[in-house]
Amino acid sequence: SKEVCFRVDHTFVLLFELIASFIYCHQNPIMTYATKKGMSQAKLLVETGQIRFRNMDSSKEIKIGSYHISCKSDPIGNKKMMGIILYQNGNESGIFYVGKLKCRPGYILLIESWKIIEIKKENETMHAATFRYFTGLDIKKTNIIAGGFSIQNNELVDRSGTCNAPTNNFGLFHDNNRTMNNVEKFVLEAAVINWQLRKEQNTKVSTIAQ
């Protein structure tokens, strides 16, 4: 159908833009650093194949070597989707648990939006409902450090007040901007495209930074 063809064509456009961004990133090292929004002090560590986030006062950091799409996630199709990437739960480092989910930094949850609309409570945001759908928890009562996004019209939209500008701001990793920074979104998009095209759950940062 025309709708499916548009999706495939648009995906190849995204891939072309992503490859061009990789090339530009290497030719312009400043692109490995984030602008001031989303997770603070982000840097793509090309030498070690990691992305690093430092909190606002540089006292703590989170490093990610690989992004993982949860097996509970939906495949990406033509429908609107909600997404959350989990970075850390409180002060836990390495493997951490969120409800019954066993996670590492860079754990991605993706779900078709209609499923969230069906269970969303009054005065609950879509990302809060998405978090509760996967974990059974109220995100406001946790110390989760996360990023929120959605997929609309085959575009990754990096806006979430709930995740990108949380009210408790545990660990001081976020500023008050609802959008992600350029490095955070850059790596996330690569992992999402890898899931969409190849159904690959794992995306190493080293393959993105090559």
XYZ file of all heavy atoms in Angstrom, residues 100-180:
650
model
N 9.576 -5.650 38.156
C 10.112 -6.972 37.842
C 11.066 -6.944 36.648
O 11.583 -7.979 36.236
C 8.965 -7.947 37.557
C 8.098 -8.227 38.782
C 7.015 -9.254 38.474
C 6.173 -9.551 39.714
N 5.114 -10.544 39.436
N 11.294 -5.760 36.096
C 12.194 -5.637 34.953
C 13.647 -5.638 35.403
O 14.034 -4.860 36.274
C 11.918 -4.348 34.175
C 10.611 -4.241 33.385
C 10.541 -2.882 32.697
C 10.490 -5.362 32.359
N 14.444 -6.481 34.792
C 15.882 -6.496 35.033
C 16.534 -5.692 33.922
O 16.407 -6.022 32.746
C 16.403 -7.930 35.047
C 17.883 -8.056 35.372
C 18.309 -9.520 35.367
C 19.787 -9.672 35.701
N 20.201 -11.107 35.708
N 17.231 -4.635 34.272
C 17.709 -3.677 33.274
C 19.189 -3.363 33.427
O 19.790 -3.578 34.479
C 16.937 -2.359 33.405
S 15.150 -2.507 33.502
N 19.738 -2.846 32.371
C 21.031 -2.182 32.372
C 20.821 -0.770 31.827
O 19.819 -0.511 31.156
C 22.034 -2.926 31.483
C 22.540 -4.242 32.046
C 23.567 -4.869 31.107
N 24.058 -6.157 31.584
C 25.063 -6.309 32.423
N 25.703 -5.243 32.875
N 25.451 -7.508 32.817
N 21.748 0.145 32.076
C 21.618 1.481 31.481
C 21.476 1.392 29.965
O 22.240 0.689 29.306
C 22.939 2.158 31.876
C 23.354 1.470 33.133
C 22.938 0.043 32.955
N 20.453 2.069 29.427
C 20.198 2.012 27.991
C 19.114 1.011 27.618
O 19.049 0.543 26.489
N 18.243 0.679 28.578
C 17.162 -0.292 28.378
C 15.948 0.444 27.822
O 15.434 1.377 28.442
C 16.831 -0.956 29.713
C 15.950 -2.175 29.642
C 16.495 -3.438 29.421
C 14.579 -2.080 29.830
C 15.687 -4.569 29.389
C 13.764 -3.198 29.807
C 14.328 -4.441 29.587
O 13.523 -5.564 29.557
N 15.463 0.023 26.645
C 14.426 0.767 25.917
C 13.102 0.008 25.907
O 13.053 -1.186 25.601
C 14.877 1.044 24.471
C 16.157 1.892 24.470
C 13.777 1.756 23.685
C 16.815 2.020 23.105
N 12.043 0.736 26.224
C 10.680 0.198 26.205
C 9.887 0.897 25.111
O 9.850 2.125 25.064
C 10.002 0.439 27.558
C 10.736 -0.109 28.793
C 10.154 0.504 30.059
C 10.643 -1.628 28.837
N 9.243 0.132 24.237
C 8.450 0.681 23.137
C 7.083 0.013 23.111
O 6.984 -1.216 23.165
C 9.150 0.438 21.798
C 10.202 1.433 21.345
C 10.997 0.850 20.178
C 9.553 2.747 20.925
N 6.031 0.811 22.991
C 4.675 0.266 23.003
C 3.771 1.101 22.094
O 3.935 2.315 22.001
C 4.116 0.254 24.456
C 2.803 -0.498 24.552
C 3.981 1.662 25.000
C 2.940 -1.979 24.524
N 2.839 0.454 21.407
C 1.894 1.185 20.577
C 1.011 2.067 21.467
O 0.520 1.627 22.510
C 1.046 0.220 19.761
C 1.859 -0.498 18.680
C 1.024 -1.445 17.844
O -0.196 -1.588 18.110
O 1.586 -2.061 16.917
N 0.804 3.298 21.045
C 0.146 4.304 21.885
C -1.272 3.920 22.293
O -1.717 4.244 23.405
C 0.123 5.650 21.161
O 1.424 6.145 20.968
N -2.001 3.224 21.423
C -3.398 2.904 21.729
C -3.500 2.034 22.984
O -4.484 2.134 23.727
C -4.077 2.227 20.542
C -3.575 0.835 20.210
C -2.595 0.502 19.334
C -4.060 -0.405 20.776
N -2.417 -0.863 19.302
C -3.310 -1.443 20.161
C -5.045 -0.725 21.707
C -3.501 -2.788 20.491
C -5.246 -2.065 22.028
C -4.484 -3.078 21.419
N -2.498 1.211 23.231
C -2.515 0.366 24.427
C -2.387 1.210 25.695
O -2.936 0.860 26.746
C -1.383 -0.656 24.365
C -1.511 -1.653 23.223
C -0.352 -2.639 23.221
C -0.456 -3.620 22.060
N 0.671 -4.579 22.031
N -1.650 2.303 25.589
C -1.467 3.192 26.736
C -2.717 4.036 26.958
O -3.130 4.273 28.098
C -0.232 4.084 26.540
C 1.017 3.223 26.336
C -0.050 5.031 27.724
C 1.270 2.219 27.442
N -3.327 4.490 25.871
C -4.554 5.287 25.975
C -5.637 4.494 26.708
O -6.402 5.044 27.501
C -5.032 5.713 24.571
C -4.042 6.718 23.960
C -6.438 6.320 24.627
C -4.284 7.037 22.509
N -5.680 3.185 26.477
C -6.693 2.337 27.097
C -6.532 2.206 28.616
O -7.516 2.004 29.327
C -6.681 0.941 26.466
C -7.295 0.882 25.082
C -7.561 -0.544 24.639
O -6.994 -1.476 25.238
O -8.336 -0.738 23.684
N -5.316 2.325 29.116
C -5.083 2.117 30.553
C -4.734 3.413 31.290
O -4.587 3.421 32.513
C -3.983 1.059 30.792
C -2.627 1.506 30.190
C -4.405 -0.276 30.212
C -1.649 2.034 31.171
N -4.603 4.507 30.562
C -4.189 5.783 31.149
C -5.236 6.298 32.134
O -6.433 6.321 31.844
C -3.961 6.797 30.032
C -3.518 8.176 30.485
C -3.294 9.066 29.274
C -3.024 10.498 29.676
N -4.223 11.116 30.294
N -4.763 6.714 33.305
C -5.646 7.273 34.323
C -5.842 8.773 34.097
O -5.063 9.418 33.389
C -5.039 7.051 35.713
C -4.883 5.600 36.110
C -4.222 5.490 37.475
C -4.040 4.045 37.890
N -3.367 3.929 39.219
N -6.874 9.319 34.711
C -7.122 10.757 34.618
C -5.954 11.514 35.255
O -5.426 11.116 36.298
C -8.425 11.108 35.337
C -8.848 12.558 35.154
C -10.180 12.866 35.826
O -10.772 11.933 36.413
O -10.601 14.022 35.782
N -5.519 12.559 34.612
C -4.398 13.394 35.060
C -3.053 12.677 35.018
O -2.063 13.167 35.584
C -4.642 13.933 36.481
C -5.865 14.819 36.562
O -6.136 15.577 35.627
N -6.615 14.729 37.657
N -2.985 11.533 34.375
C -1.720 10.810 34.210
C -1.170 11.100 32.817
O -1.903 11.083 31.837
C -1.952 9.309 34.373
C -0.680 8.472 34.384
C -0.979 6.987 34.588
O -2.002 6.509 34.051
O -0.191 6.320 35.276
N 0.114 11.394 32.714
C 0.703 11.656 31.401
C 0.884 10.342 30.641
O 0.873 9.255 31.233
C 2.074 12.346 31.521
O 3.023 11.423 32.087
C 1.992 13.599 32.385
N 1.072 10.452 29.338
C 1.262 9.259 28.516
C 2.530 8.507 28.907
O 2.552 7.275 28.927
C 1.304 9.633 27.036
C -0.047 9.993 26.440
S -1.169 8.572 26.335
C -0.469 7.693 24.907
N 3.593 9.233 29.228
C 4.829 8.556 29.614
C 4.725 7.942 31.012
O 5.307 6.881 31.271
C 6.030 9.494 29.514
C 6.574 9.601 28.133
N 6.469 10.740 27.368
C 7.201 8.687 27.342
C 7.015 10.540 26.181
N 7.459 9.299 26.145
N 3.991 8.584 31.909
C 3.765 7.989 33.227
C 2.960 6.701 33.090
O 3.248 5.695 33.755
C 3.042 8.981 34.137
N 1.950 6.721 32.208
C 1.146 5.521 31.971
C 1.969 4.435 31.289
O 1.796 3.242 31.574
C -0.078 5.877 31.125
N 2.876 4.830 30.407
C 3.758 3.863 29.736
C 4.666 3.183 30.761
O 4.848 1.961 30.741
C 4.614 4.563 28.665
O 3.751 5.160 27.684
C 5.544 3.576 27.969
N 5.221 3.970 31.646
C 6.087 3.428 32.702
C 5.309 2.450 33.572
O 5.791 1.360 33.909
C 6.646 4.571 33.541
C 7.637 4.150 34.592
C 8.963 3.938 34.272
C 7.238 3.966 35.914
C 9.886 3.551 35.236
C 8.145 3.581 36.885
C 9.473 3.370 36.546
N 4.092 2.803 33.939
C 3.255 1.940 34.780
C 2.860 0.669 34.025
O 2.796 -0.416 34.616
C 2.003 2.713 35.229
C 1.074 1.919 36.124
C -0.007 2.811 36.728
N -0.791 3.498 35.719
C -1.816 2.943 35.063
N -2.174 1.695 35.303
N -2.482 3.640 34.168
N 2.622 0.788 32.720
C 2.256 -0.379 31.901
C 3.344 -1.450 31.973
O 3.049 -2.641 32.107
C 2.058 0.075 30.448
C 1.736 -1.043 29.478
C 0.416 -1.384 29.190
C 2.751 -1.751 28.833
C 0.125 -2.408 28.299
C 2.471 -2.782 27.950
C 1.147 -3.098 27.679
O 0.872 -4.124 26.798
N 4.587 -1.038 31.894
C 5.701 -1.992 31.877
C 6.142 -2.430 33.272
O 6.598 -3.554 33.457
C 6.898 -1.398 31.136
C 6.769 -1.414 29.644
C 6.488 -0.255 28.939
C 6.937 -2.591 28.931
C 6.379 -0.269 27.559
C 6.829 -2.624 27.548
C 6.543 -1.457 26.856
N 6.055 -1.527 34.244
C 6.650 -1.811 35.555
C 5.644 -2.017 36.677
O 5.993 -2.581 37.717
C 7.590 -0.668 35.969
O 6.808 0.511 36.241
C 8.605 -0.362 34.877
N 4.417 -1.507 36.490
C 3.423 -1.553 37.552
C 3.623 -0.484 38.599
O 2.949 -0.480 39.630
N 4.547 0.459 38.352
C 4.903 1.471 39.345
C 4.483 2.874 38.907
O 4.381 3.168 37.707
C 6.413 1.460 39.583
C 7.036 0.137 40.039
C 8.551 0.277 40.098
C 6.476 -0.283 41.390
N 4.279 3.731 39.893
C 4.039 5.152 39.663
C 5.400 5.830 39.545
O 6.173 5.851 40.506
C 3.238 5.731 40.829
C 2.929 7.218 40.661
O 3.498 7.865 39.759
O 2.125 7.737 41.455
N 5.707 6.371 38.378
C 7.039 6.934 38.140
C 7.355 8.067 39.112
O 8.527 8.278 39.466
C 7.182 7.412 36.673
C 8.664 7.662 36.339
C 6.326 8.632 36.386
C 8.932 7.869 34.871
N 6.349 8.788 39.601
C 6.581 9.897 40.524
C 7.059 9.414 41.896
O 7.615 10.188 42.661
C 5.304 10.724 40.688
C 4.915 11.514 39.444
C 3.667 12.329 39.701
C 3.276 13.153 38.476
N 2.046 13.952 38.714
N 6.818 8.136 42.183
C 7.217 7.577 43.476
C 8.522 6.786 43.385
O 8.866 6.050 44.305
C 6.094 6.697 44.025
C 4.815 7.468 44.325
C 3.725 6.550 44.855
C 2.451 7.339 45.152
N 1.365 6.459 45.662
N 9.219 6.932 42.266
C 10.491 6.237 42.075
C 11.621 7.254 41.948
O 11.381 8.460 41.815
C 10.478 5.366 40.808
O 10.494 6.209 39.642
C 9.252 4.473 40.757
N 12.836 6.766 41.951
C 14.018 7.597 41.680
C 14.637 7.183 40.351
O 15.861 7.173 40.196
C 15.035 7.459 42.815
C 14.593 8.179 44.075
O 13.996 9.253 44.016
N 14.867 7.592 45.224
N 13.775 6.856 39.405
C 14.253 6.411 38.095
C 14.844 7.583 37.316
O 14.357 8.701 37.379
C 13.105 5.751 37.287
C 13.664 4.915 36.145
C 12.108 6.779 36.785
C 14.340 3.650 36.576
N 15.936 7.310 36.621
C 16.542 8.285 35.706
C 16.273 7.751 34.310
O 16.695 6.640 33.969
C 18.050 8.426 35.964
C 18.280 8.904 37.401
C 18.677 9.410 34.973
C 19.726 8.781 37.864
N 15.542 8.511 33.514
C 15.049 7.990 32.240
C 14.946 9.091 31.198
O 15.096 10.281 31.498
C 13.683 7.331 32.447
N 14.670 8.685 29.966
C 14.389 9.604 28.875
C 13.098 9.177 28.207
O 12.812 7.981 28.097
N 12.301 10.137 27.789
C 11.028 9.823 27.150
C 10.972 10.313 25.713
O 11.508 11.368 25.390
N 10.312 9.524 24.872
C 10.164 9.899 23.465
C 8.916 9.226 22.924
O 8.249 8.432 23.600
C 11.407 9.485 22.665
C 11.648 7.991 22.619
C 11.245 7.223 21.524
C 12.285 7.338 23.669
C 11.461 5.854 21.485
C 12.511 5.964 23.641
C 12.103 5.224 22.545
N 8.588 9.535 21.680
C 7.491 8.868 20.988
C 7.864 8.749 19.516
O 8.845 9.352 19.060
C 6.181 9.648 21.146
O 6.299 10.954 20.593
N 7.108 7.946 18.795
C 7.283 7.844 17.347
C 5.961 8.260 16.717
O 4.923 7.633 16.954
C 7.681 6.422 16.920
C 9.046 6.064 17.529
C 7.742 6.317 15.391
C 9.496 4.645 17.258
N 5.999 9.341 15.948
C 4.810 9.894 15.314
C 5.101 10.162 13.848
O 6.093 10.818 13.526
C 4.380 11.187 16.003
C 4.112 11.040 17.490
C 3.746 12.356 18.143
O 3.093 13.211 17.541
N 4.161 12.536 19.396
N 4.260 9.634 12.962
C 4.463 9.798 11.519
C 5.874 9.372 11.118
O 6.537 10.029 10.321
C 4.196 11.250 11.096
C 2.775 11.681 11.392
O 1.832 10.927 11.164
N 2.618 12.881 11.924
N 6.339 8.258 11.712
C 7.650 7.686 11.420
C 8.812 8.591 11.805
O 9.919 8.439 11.289
C 7.742 7.310 9.932
C 6.661 6.342 9.519
O 6.547 5.249 10.082
N 5.833 6.737 8.560
N 8.568 9.516 12.707
C 9.627 10.392 13.218
C 9.777 10.175 14.717
O 8.777 10.034 15.441
C 9.280 11.863 12.961
C 9.202 12.262 11.501
C 10.574 12.558 10.908
O 11.571 12.432 11.654
O 10.636 12.901 9.731
N 11.011 10.151 15.205
C 11.253 10.068 16.635
C 11.118 11.462 17.230
O 11.850 12.376 16.861
C 12.641 9.491 16.922
C 12.898 9.102 18.384
C 13.820 7.893 18.464
C 13.507 10.263 19.168
N 10.162 11.619 18.118
C 9.891 12.895 18.777
C 10.426 12.803 20.203
O 9.997 11.957 20.988
C 8.378 13.196 18.787
C 8.108 14.533 19.471
C 7.832 13.205 17.359
N 11.363 13.666 20.543
C 12.108 13.526 21.803
C 11.587 14.443 22.904
O 12.353 15.062 23.637
C 13.600 13.785 21.561
C 13.863 15.196 21.041
O 12.993 15.753 20.345
O 14.940 15.747 21.335
N 10.274 14.513 23.070
C 9.692 15.394 24.085
C 8.997 14.577 25.175
O 8.206 13.687 24.881
C 8.680 16.362 23.458
C 9.275 17.439 22.602
C 8.245 18.499 22.263
N 7.105 17.948 21.531
C 7.068 17.805 20.219
N 8.104 18.161 19.481
N 5.999 17.309 19.633
N 9.297 14.905 26.419
C 8.622 14.299 27.559
C 8.907 15.097 28.815
O 10.045 15.117 29.302
C 9.077 12.844 27.767
O 8.555 12.320 28.977
N 7.879 15.749 29.343
C 8.064 16.444 30.607
C 8.276 15.464 31.744
O 9.070 15.698 32.651
N 7.591 14.323 31.690
C 7.662 13.316 32.749
C 9.064 12.744 32.897
O 9.577 12.605 34.014
C 6.678 12.166 32.457
O 5.350 12.693 32.394
C 6.751 11.088 33.525
N 9.708 12.404 31.775
C 11.016 11.729 31.826
C 12.198 12.669 31.618
O 13.244 12.501 32.253
C 11.068 10.629 30.765
S 9.858 9.311 31.011
N 12.064 13.637 30.720
C 13.195 14.496 30.376
C 13.322 15.724 31.275
O 14.369 16.377 31.286
C 13.086 14.947 28.916
C 13.074 13.774 27.962
O 13.554 12.685 28.285
N 12.520 13.971 26.766
N 12.258 16.026 31.999
C 12.306 17.143 32.953
C 11.541 16.742 34.204
O 10.544 17.368 34.579
C 11.710 18.402 32.326
N 11.982 15.667 34.891
C 11.245 15.154 36.051
C 11.255 16.135 37.218
O 12.217 16.873 37.411
C 12.009 13.872 36.417
C 13.406 14.111 35.916
C 13.244 14.920 34.670
N 10.175 16.122 37.979
C 10.051 17.083 39.079
C 11.036 16.792 40.213
O 11.576 17.716 40.822
C 8.618 17.075 39.641
O 8.246 15.722 39.955
C 7.634 17.618 38.611
N 11.294 15.502 40.494
C 12.231 15.210 41.584
C 13.689 15.294 41.131
O 14.586 15.545 41.918
C 11.944 13.833 42.190
C 12.331 12.677 41.273
O 12.394 12.838 40.056
N 12.572 11.514 41.848
N 13.937 15.073 39.833
C 15.273 15.180 39.231
C 16.326 14.477 40.085
O 17.347 15.062 40.457
C 15.646 16.643 39.008
C 16.825 16.805 38.041
O 17.242 15.848 37.379
N 17.351 18.009 37.946
N 16.073 13.208 40.390
C 16.990 12.451 41.241
C 18.387 12.395 40.611
O 18.537 12.104 39.426
C 16.472 11.027 41.459
C 17.348 10.216 42.367
C 17.205 10.305 43.744
C 18.336 9.385 41.859
C 18.020 9.576 44.598
C 19.162 8.655 42.696
C 19.001 8.747 44.072
N 19.398 12.662 41.406
C 20.778 12.613 40.941
C 21.204 13.818 40.140
O 22.352 13.929 39.713
N 20.258 14.744 39.899
C 20.541 15.986 39.146
C 21.092 15.695 37.749
O 21.987 16.382 37.263
C 21.514 16.882 39.927
C 21.042 17.348 41.303
C 22.138 18.151 41.995
C 19.769 18.184 41.185
N 20.527 14.696 37.078
C 20.983 14.380 35.725
C 20.222 15.162 34.657
O 20.644 15.212 33.507
C 20.840 12.885 35.451
C 22.017 12.073 35.940
C 21.988 11.469 37.176
C 23.160 11.933 35.157
C 23.080 10.724 37.637
C 24.242 11.207 35.600
C 24.207 10.592 36.844
N 19.093 15.752 35.004
C 18.267 16.467 34.033
C 18.253 17.964 34.306
O 18.441 18.397 35.442
C 16.830 15.955 34.072
C 16.653 14.579 33.498
N 16.609 14.322 32.143
C 16.497 13.371 34.108
C 16.434 13.024 31.948
N 16.367 12.427 33.117
N 18.008 18.714 33.230
C 17.686 20.124 33.421
C 16.159 20.242 33.286
O 15.451 19.251 33.394
C 18.438 21.012 32.421
C 18.159 20.631 30.971
O 17.175 19.900 30.730
O 18.919 21.057 30.086
N 15.654 21.410 33.035
C 14.203 21.594 32.949
C 13.687 21.573 31.520
O 12.565 22.016 31.257
C 13.803 22.915 33.629
C 14.038 22.880 35.124
O 13.768 21.866 35.768
N 14.547 23.971 35.673
N 14.494 21.049 30.580
C 14.091 21.012 29.184
C 13.393 19.697 28.873
O 13.904 18.623 29.202
C 15.322 21.188 28.282
C 14.948 21.635 26.888
O 14.129 21.014 26.228
N 15.553 22.722 26.432
N 12.234 19.756 28.218
C 11.436 18.567 27.925
C 12.016 17.734 26.778
O 11.586 16.599 26.553
C 10.000 18.962 27.575
C 9.250 19.629 28.715
C 7.879 20.137 28.297
N 6.992 19.031 27.949
C 6.539 18.803 26.720
N 6.909 19.573 25.716
N 5.721 17.791 26.502
N 12.975 18.288 26.040
C 13.557 17.560 24.910
C 14.926 16.986 25.271
O 15.544 17.383 26.259
C 13.709 18.473 23.678
O 14.550 19.583 24.026
C 12.356 18.984 23.214
N 15.382 16.027 24.443
C 16.690 15.412 24.647
C 17.774 16.265 24.013
O 17.507 17.086 23.128
C 16.718 14.022 24.010
C 15.789 13.022 24.649
S 15.881 11.409 23.816
C 14.865 10.421 24.917
